[in-house]
Amino acid sequence: MASVCRIAVSGAAGQISYSLLFRIAAGEMLGSQQPIILSLLEIPQAMQALEGVAMELQDGAFPLLQSIELESDAKRAFRDVNSVLLVGAQPRGAGMERRDLLAANARIFVEQGRALNEHAAEDVRVLVVGNPANTNAMITQRCAPRLSPRNFSAMMRLDHNRATAQLAAKAGVGVSAVDGVVIWGNHSTTQYPDLHHATVDGHPALERVDSAWYHEQFIPAVQHRGAAVIEARGSSSAASAANAALQHMRTWMLGTAPEQWTSMAVVSDGAYDIEPGLVYSVPVHCTDGDWQLVDGLVCNDFSR
């Protein structure tokens, strides 16, 4: 049996985490042979709700779950952790400007970055889910200089999944028939879902769909899918975001299938003319807890 893996989750009493934690405990993130300890971080006002989540996790009697630790202090929550999912972030409130949201979350992720720098295991893998995810990931990484920048990423798997599902529906196939979608950029309406390298049943995707649909419907549909979910259900994506976070970490740690890639926002080294230091979504292969940029993809004028 593998040694115990310490997994920290922030915002652990929130909606996304409620859809995530039980699946982690069941082994869906790191595999059916990996015992885990859950270190759950929340703000003091949410600790009672977090106790209820912990009670349900205990009542699930998950064989892989060795223990559960509840913390309101990031320094304690991140001590010796191997995997971290930073789900918690301040939501945008009524009348709040984007710059106010950025400032509020900057304080949270500066603190968490410093706590990771001081207390996390050197090989820790950190996924930022809380929005604005790319910005929060960059702040966290820069506040943790002891740790490799390669150990930080922001979640683009939800956008990758949305693009894959939209293409599959248009082509009339299951999602398993779609491969090679790329999400470039930021988890926001500025992201670019690229189909120029995608395939459907092994054939170029752009031979299965017309360019007008791609330009005028597909791209904005993926970019604005989060807002569409909020309009339909009255609250933001939770279960699909949790699923994407789990898939992101599982792929990162256990690897992509041969000849396949996924989209991850990682710290740029300047490849594809992306400004170095930005946390930017690119196509990557994953193997044994590491990622490698898929290089050599041709970006045409439209994609640029």
Side-chain angles (χ1 to χ4, degrees):
M1 181 176 288
S3 58
V4 176
C5 178
R6 294 183 62 87
I7 302 171
V9 179
S10 73
Q15 283 195 74
I16 294 175
S17 293
Y18 193 76
S19 295
L20 173 66
L21 291 171
F22 301 90
R23 294 179 65 185
I24 294 176
E28 290 187 48
M29 189 174 91
L30 297 180
S32 60
Q33 302 300 313
Q34 177 60 64
I36 63 171
I37 293 171
L38 284 176
S39 179
L40 306 182
L41 176 64
E42 259 298 356
I43 58 175
Q45 302 93 304
M47 291 304 291
Q48 182 174 343
L50 184 59
E51 290 175 6
V53 174
M55 291 166 67
E56 287 200 76
L57 283 165
Q58 291 172 335
D59 294 347
F62 297 103
L64 296 174
L65 183 55
Q66 305 296 294
S67 64
I68 306 166
E69 300 170 1
L70 310 184
E71 301 289 356
S72 60
D73 184 297
K75 293 180 179 179
R76 292 195 299 268
F78 295 159
R79 189 172 300 280
D80 300 323
V81 289
N82 309 107
S83 297
V84 178
L85 296 94
L86 298 180
V87 178
Q90 180 168 324
R92 189 168 182 171
M96 180 180 284
E97 297 288 341
R98 182 171 177 81
R99 63 184 178 184
D100 299 327
L101 178 66
L102 288 169
N105 277 301
R107 290 190 290 271
I108 295 170
F109 287 89
V110 163
E111 177 188 350
Q112 293 183 348
R114 289 172 176 168
L116 287 166
N117 191 64
E118 295 173 13
H119 300 288
E122 188 173 356
D123 64 349
V124 67
R125 299 296 187 270
V126 181
L127 169 62
V128 177
V129 177
N131 285 317
N134 296 49
T135 304
N136 291 339
M138 185 171 72
I139 292 168
T140 306
Q141 181 271 313
R142 293 190 179 183
C143 290
R146 177 178 66 89
L147 306 173
S148 169
R150 296 183 59 84
N151 291 7
F152 294 82
S153 67
M155 189 176 80
M156 300 298 294
R157 187 60 169 264
L158 180 55
D159 306 291
H160 187 97
N161 288 348
R162 286 167 170 168
T164 298
Q166 292 285 326
L167 175 58
K170 179 65 174 178
V173 299
V175 292
S176 61
V178 173
D179 193 21
V181 169
V182 180
I183 306 293
W184 301 94
N186 191 13
H187 178 64
S188 75
T189 55
T190 61
Q191 69 178 262
Y192 168 48
D194 185 358
L195 295 185
H196 288 89
H197 313 284
T199 59
V200 177
D201 285 327
H203 301 285
L206 293 181
E207 294 180 0
R208 297 288 298 269
V209 299
D210 61 85
S211 60
W213 175 83
Y214 175 43
H215 296 168
E216 298 169 15
Q217 297 183 49
F218 172 80
I219 292 175
V222 176
Q223 291 175 332
H224 295 276
R225 184 68 167 183
V229 170
I230 292 173
E231 183 177 356
R233 71 182 295 261
S235 58
S236 60
S237 304
S240 59
N243 181 66
L246 187 146
Q247 289 178 324
H248 179 119
M249 290 299 285
R250 181 179 179 88
T251 299
W252 193 0
M253 299 307 298
L254 303 184
T256 48
E259 307 304 321
Q260 292 187 335
W261 63 62
T262 189
S263 300
M264 285 174 56
V266 297
V267 178
S268 170
D269 64 359
Y272 289 107
D273 297 327
I274 300 162
E275 182 179 336
L278 285 182
V279 175
Y280 195 100
S281 181
V282 292
V284 299
H285 300 295
C286 295
T287 307
D288 297 329
D290 198 8
W291 57 266
Q292 189 67 40
L293 178 71
V294 178
D295 57 12
L297 296 183
V298 176
C299 295
N300 62 19
D301 289 342
F302 177 80
S303 294
R304 288 289 179 191

